[in-house]
Amino acid sequence: MQKVWVGQLWSLVEHFQQQWSKLDPNATRFIPSTAMHRLILLLNYPLGLANTPGVDMETSLRRAARDVLKQLDIPEVKGRVKFQSVLQALAHRASGGVSLPKESAVTQELE
């Protein structure tokens, strides 16, 4: 999996925010956990699967989205997932396992 460079971080976060807002138009910071499949398909690679190198068939992307969901460990509260938890889990996956410290400037600004 391609590693995400720090210089790309802000553009990825901005794209994540834009796609999240489509699923959370009232800015509650939560979406239904059932919307995660759609979010993963909307997000550009490497956070999500849109524009994934070598994958262009819709059925392959849907199958890949199911596989990504199985890999993620995102806490669910009453059938919903939180913005911060989803972003951190997807960033962790995209970076090959490198996590942002909980008190980093990026995570503080997003809260």
Side-chain angles (χ1 to χ4, degrees):
M1 178 168 302
Q2 175 184 337
K3 298 222 185 232
V4 178
W5 300 102
V6 175
Q8 297 173 306
L9 182 60
W10 285 111
S11 64
L12 290 171
V13 170
E14 286 175 356
H15 181 70
F16 178 86
Q17 290 172 321
Q18 292 167 353
Q19 299 308 315
W20 182 278
S21 69
K22 293 177 183 178
L23 302 171
D24 181 19
N26 296 324
T28 65
R29 295 189 181 191
F30 287 90
I31 61 170
S33 56
T34 56
M36 281 294 300
H37 187 267
R38 181 166 177 224
L39 180 65
I40 289 169
L41 291 172
L42 288 171
L43 291 171
N44 287 333
Y45 179 84
L47 284 185
L49 297 175
N51 304 317
T52 300
V55 180
D56 55 4
M57 294 182 57
E58 189 173 331
T59 54
S60 296
L61 285 172
R62 288 182 186 182
R63 188 175 314 114
R66 283 193 302 270
D67 292 343
V68 168
L69 286 171
K70 290 176 187 175
Q71 296 170 11
L72 299 176
D73 183 24
I74 301 172
E76 192 176 324
V77 178
K78 297 181 182 177
R80 302 183 320 156
V81 290
K82 187 176 179 182
F83 176 96
Q84 184 69 25
S85 299
V86 174
L87 178 57
Q88 285 181 324
L90 290 174
H92 181 76
R93 178 185 166 275
S95 68
V98 176
S99 296
L100 289 173
K102 291 194 184 268
E103 298 303 317
S104 74
V106 172
T107 58
Q108 287 177 358
E109 186 171 318
L110 293 173
E111 291 196 359

